[in-house]
Amino acid sequence: MWNLLPAQKRQNALAVLWQVGARILETLGADEYALRWIDRAMRLKPRQATLHLHATRLCLKRGRLDRAILHWKKVTGEQGKVSLLYWLNRTNQHTFNASRLIKRTGACPLVEEEIDPASTSKERKNSWPRFLGRLGVLFQGPPETPPLDEIGVQLLEMGRVEEALTIFRQVLLCKGASPELYFNMGLAASKMGRHEEALEYYQRAQAGGLNNAEIMNNKGYSFSHLGRYEEAIACYELAKEMCPGDPTVLSNLASCYHRAHLYQKALSCYENALRCNSNDSTTLNNYALCLDELGRCEEALQLYDRALRVDPDNQIILLNKAACLVKLKCYNEAISICDQILARQPCCPETWGMRGNVLNEMGRISEAVECYNRALGISS
């Protein structure tokens, strides 16, 4: 009979070696390599508290607060979060002297609006040469010219994201790094859908001492869009602890629970978000989607109607309502919604596709095929 004891002893010995090596690397300042070695030790001894504590310390030093929280929980459980929050608040107050920040990416809808790439590229093409013509003046820095980082923030607020990121990089070259600069660079990258890059910037901001609710909310947003829900939830939960009752954080956390199929937590969080802001159409839409997935279609319809009273022409909410009506076999009402959208946007492929689905459910196959052709741009 095979004896497990020698194999376990070898694993224990290897885990100790990896941990000792990690301590040496940390002493030499190679924190990133130390963290990798601790990860290897934890693969061998996943329940050893000292390894998770070591990993927590290294993650905090590297600005990976989301990972630090996960390791901390494995040692202390939920009740240990208070002491971690206390430490974060102290570092945030002592090391961060804030200039202007764009604080939030906004809500995290489960069904996002499509952006017309042609119109976006056209706007950049027209505005970019004019902007480049002013760069020489900006670098001279006359008294009436605002600082470059302030110009970057203004461009970000205007939706001119690539230009803003270019400015932030110029600030990095001219003035050097700061936590708030990395935060704004991360937000710009996130708005362009470059979430891996955004996370790198947020990590640098946190390593510089910026550990507040805004950065945790934005970091959670990027993790969620990358499908890394456990890390996203850790970020949102900490943001909620730092800023209780914030409707944006609650809505984002609820959407993340929803995506991770933690439906009961999602429903509770949606309710809390609506108590803080009862007229947020995105939260109402996402809450309805959650109920819809759980088969509670009548309740979902009520929430879609509430959302449409706030934002009557929102195409995403209208299409979600139409899909819900199909489940209830209310086909004519669903067709009516599709026709309502197509009256305003005759070339909307999503709506033609939905109309085709409804007609297919009704057994009107030839009409459904025509709608699918319109959705694919085959027939006019």
Side-chain angles (χ1 to χ4, degrees), residues 228-244:
R228 294 162 63 177
Y229 298 126
E230 186 181 18
E231 293 160 286
I233 287 168
C235 289
Y236 285 139
E237 285 181 343
L238 194 59
K240 186 184 77 166
E241 294 290 334
M242 291 174 165
C243 197

Side-chain angles (χ1 to χ4, degrees), residues 27-73:
T27 304
L28 294 172
D31 294 335
E32 188 63 35
Y33 287 102
L35 189 53
R36 292 179 193 174
W37 284 38
I38 283 290
D39 285 340
R40 290 173 181 174
M42 283 190 294
R43 287 191 207 113
L44 298 170
K45 300 289 290 181
R47 296 181 183 177
Q48 189 169 317
T50 55
L51 292 174
H52 286 290
L53 286 171
H54 195 172
T56 300
R57 184 174 72 250
L58 286 168
C59 288
L60 289 171
K61 287 173 73 176
R62 298 296 296 163
R64 297 179 182 174
L65 187 56
D66 43 290
R67 281 189 62 189
I69 297 162
L70 296 174
H71 289 302
W72 186 261
K73 281 183 180 179

Side-chain angles (χ1 to χ4, degrees), residues 134-160:
R134 296 194 191 103
L135 273 181
V137 179
L138 293 176
F139 281 112
Q140 291 172 9
E144 66 276 6
T145 302
L148 270 182
D149 51 357
E150 181 69 17
I151 292 171
V153 169
Q154 290 173 4
L155 288 169
L156 205 52
E157 290 173 333
M158 293 162 61
R160 294 162 61 176

